[in-house]
Each structure stands twice: as structure tokens, then as C-alpha cells.
């Protein structure tokens, strides 16, 4: 396996372990360094721990053991206000979009600022003018014109919803974006459009993205680094060009995949 040697490491995972049932680890002492730029794709069969790994990073799932070092803090040890503040710096894009269906596009995008404004402002939806301006800019940046801003989320297509989800994540002004199977609910054409969008935003805004993805060809096309997992362990870590059929057999468990 190839280790990251770049000094600008943003995230260091050390001996990360997760057990939903005692003695049955879903993640088996994972150790990774994530650089502060580019796209890292995590591939592997269903049930191998990809989503658990992503969700442990921002503590949507609590790890059983190990360290998650991010911007000078161990996220695994944080709780309460300290954890909420750390999460502000980690955007999340979900497979099922995770939008508030009854709210408008602009309100969903502005929810990316909830960790930065007083509770009363959030409750009354009174966001600072500069946040509102930036939200409109991001709606445009993800390929939705301003006519979409007032549409309810439940009136959007899947691809449009995912664009709103990406805009919401960037609205947080994150140092890192996590994407948990963001294309698996989309058709092939829309999947490419969403990956194009994330790659463009990552490059232009200098935000690294860790993406859990089933589509190996999309992973190879867009990621600078691929992490292959099977059985809760990392069995490949390197560039797309180094991912050979033997690696895929190991990751996915046999010839049938090929």
C-alpha cells in the first residue's frame, strides 16, 4: 500500500475500530492520512465498512477505539459544544440528500450556517445578509439558477436535490467534505454531472473531498487516490492507475466482479 507523504495532512486516522456488536468489528484498526486537497475515493462491497468509516469521521457514528485527528483535535474524544464546533468544519453530502423537504432551496442551503448563528436567528430564519448573498451565489455555482431558490425541496429531481446538498455542505465553509454514496440514487448521466460538480468545487475552492462510492469507473475517473476496503480493512491505497484487476478481485471477492 502507498502511504501519503505530503506534509499538508488534514486528517489522520489512527487504529480506528468500530464494533456494533462486541467482538465483531466492522472497522478493524484503520489508519489513514488524508491530504488537504483533492478527491479520495473509498471503494468496496456493501457491508465492508465504507459508510461507517465516513460517519465515524464526523461522529455520526461513535468509534469503539482509535483516534481521528482533525485540525489539532481528536474528534473521537469530543462531545457537546466542542464536537458541534468541530463539525462546522466538515461538510456532509448524503446518498438520500437529507434535505428538509418542506423548506425552499435557499433555506436548505442556509441551513449550512446553523452552526454559526445564534439559535434564535436560525429559528426565525434571520440569517445575516452576507450569508444570504453567499447562498444565492452557491445555488448558481452548483448549476441551479436563482429561479430555483424559492422552490420547495420536494419539488426537485434527484440530481437537483443533490446539487442543493452540495451547496449546503460548501455553505459551511468546510475544511473537509465527506460524501456518502452521493451518486447511488442517480442515473448514470446525472452521476457524472454530480461528480463533475464536486471535482470542480474541490479544485476551485481548495476543499478536499472523501467520497464513498460504489462505481469503480467514476472513482478512477475523478479521484486522485483510491482506498479499497474489504472485510473492514484497507487492502489497497494508491493512485487510480495502480488499481489492477487483482486488486479488484481481492476487494470484491472473486472473478464475477470483472
Amino acid at each position: 500500500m502507498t502511504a501519503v507523504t505530503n506534509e499538508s495532512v488534514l486528517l489522520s486516522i489512527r487504529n480506528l475500530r468500530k464494533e456494533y456488536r462486541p467482538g465483531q468489528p466492522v472497522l478493524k484498526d484503520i489508519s489513514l492520512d488524508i491530504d488537504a486537497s483533492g478527491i479520495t475515493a473509498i471503494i468496496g462491497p456493501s457491508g465492508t465498512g465504507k459508510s461507517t468509516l465516513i460517519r465515524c469521521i464526523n461522529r455520526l457514528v461513535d468509534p469503539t477505539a482509535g483516534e481521528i485527528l482533525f485540525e489539532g483535535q481528536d474528534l473521537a474524544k469530543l462531545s457537546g459544544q466542542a464536537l458541534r464546533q468541530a463539525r462546522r468544519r466538515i461538510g456532509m453530502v448524503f446518498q438520500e440528500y437529507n434535505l428538509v423537504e418542506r423548506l425552499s432551496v435557499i433555506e436548505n442551503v442556509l441551513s449550512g450556517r446553523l452552526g454559526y448563528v445564534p439559535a434564535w436567528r436560525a429559528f426565525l430564519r434571520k440569517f445575516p445578509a452576507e450569508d444570504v448573498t453567499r447562498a444565492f451565489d452557491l445555488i448558481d455555482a452548483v448549476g441551479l439558477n436563482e429561479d430555483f431558490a424559492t422552490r420547495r425541496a420536494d419539488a426537485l429531481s434527484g440530481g437537483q436535490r443533490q446539487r442543493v446538498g452540495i451547496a449546503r455542505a460548501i455553505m459551511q465553509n468546510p475544511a473537509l467534505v465527506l460524501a456518502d454514496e452521493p451518486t447511488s440514487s442517480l442515473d448514470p448521466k446525472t452521476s457524472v454531472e454530480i461528480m463533475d460538480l464536486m471535482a470542480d468545487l474541490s479544485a476551485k475552492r481548495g476543499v478536499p473531498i472523501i467520497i464513498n462510492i460504489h462505481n469503480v469507473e467514476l472513482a478512477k475517473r475523478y479521484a486522485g487516490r483510491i482506498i479499497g476496503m474489504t472485510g473492514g480493512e484497507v487492502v489497497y491505497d494508491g493512485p487510480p492507475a495502480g488499481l489492477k484487476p487483482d486488486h479488484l478481485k481481492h476487494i470484491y471477492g472473486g472473478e464475477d466482479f470483472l
Side-chain angles (χ1 to χ4, degrees), residues 12-19 25 27-33 53 56 63-69 74 76 232 234:
S12 291
I13 298 169
R14 293 287 175 264
N15 302 312
L16 186 66
R17 189 175 185 86
K18 175 60 183 177
E19 299 177 356
L27 297 178
K28 301 175 181 177
D29 302 318
I30 301 290
S31 293
L32 295 167
D33 287 328
L53 174 58
C56 277
T64 302
E67 297 178 328
I68 306 165
L69 305 174
D74 182 0
V234 173

Side-chain angles (χ1 to χ4, degrees), residues 179-247:
D180 190 11
E181 299 185 20
T183 63
S184 63
S185 297
L186 305 175
D187 63 75
K189 178 178 180 292
T190 306
S191 295
V192 169
E193 291 172 352
I194 291 299
M195 290 300 297
D196 277 339
L197 174 60
M198 289 198 292
D200 185 61
L201 289 173
S202 175
K204 287 182 177 178
R205 297 172 187 270
V207 180
I209 298 176
I210 304 175
I211 180 171
N212 163 18
I213 189 168
H214 278 296
N215 189 313
V216 174
E217 291 308 311
L218 284 180
K220 291 169 69 175
R221 177 174 172 180
Y222 289 97
R225 176 186 180 189
I226 292 180
I227 295 169
M229 291 183 63
T230 192
E233 298 179 296
V234 173
V235 295
Y236 178 83
D237 183 356
L243 188 66
K244 305 301 183 184
D246 283 348
H247 295 123

Side-chain angles (χ1 to χ4, degrees), residues 35-230:
D35 199 9
S37 63
I39 294 178
T40 299
I42 304 173
I43 64 170
S46 297
T48 200
K50 303 188 305 298
S51 287
T52 296
L53 174 58
I54 287 281
R55 289 166 179 262
C56 277
I57 292 172
N58 67 355
R59 292 286 305 282
L60 290 177
V61 170
D62 291 333
T64 302
E67 297 178 328
I68 306 165
L69 305 174
F70 174 72
E71 295 193 326
Q73 293 181 297
D74 182 0
L75 300 180
K77 294 179 179 177
L78 298 184
S79 61
Q81 181 67 16
L83 179 58
R84 287 191 292 272
Q85 289 183 347
R87 277 178 172 157
R88 297 188 311 189
R89 299 283 288 152
I90 303 175
M92 186 79 182
V93 178
F94 296 88
Q95 175 184 358
E96 298 297 337
Y97 323 124
N98 205 35
L99 304 180
V100 181
E101 298 291 306
R102 62 182 175 80
L103 295 184
S104 66
V105 166
I106 189 72
E107 288 170 322
N108 271 285
V109 174
L110 282 166
S111 70
R113 300 301 292 171
L114 289 178
Y116 293 88
V117 300
W120 69 269
R121 276 188 173 272
F123 180 76
L124 296 174
R125 299 175 198 163
K126 291 186 178 295
F127 291 88
E130 58 268 27
D131 283 350
V132 176
T133 298
R134 185 161 179 261
F136 275 106
D137 289 343
L138 282 172
I139 290 170
D140 180 68
V142 297
L144 300 174
N145 62 47
E146 62 181 31
D147 293 339
F148 281 90
T150 56
R151 294 189 193 181
R152 280 174 50 131
D154 57 10
L156 304 179
S157 69
Q160 290 164 348
R161 292 184 188 196
Q162 197 58 287
R163 290 173 186 271
V164 175
I166 293 168
R168 177 187 57 195
I170 299 298
M171 190 70 193
Q172 291 180 223
N173 192 28
L176 172 68
V177 169
L178 306 175
D180 190 11
E181 299 185 20
T183 63
S184 63
S185 297
L186 305 175
D187 63 75
K189 178 178 180 292
T190 306
S191 295
V192 169
E193 291 172 352
I194 291 299
M195 290 300 297
D196 277 339
L197 174 60
M198 289 198 292
D200 185 61
L201 289 173
S202 175
K204 287 182 177 178
R205 297 172 187 270
V207 180
I209 298 176
I210 304 175
I211 180 171
N212 163 18
I213 189 168
H214 278 296
N215 189 313
V216 174
E217 291 308 311
L218 284 180
K220 291 169 69 175
R221 177 174 172 180
Y222 289 97
R225 176 186 180 189
I226 292 180
I227 295 169
M229 291 183 63
T230 192

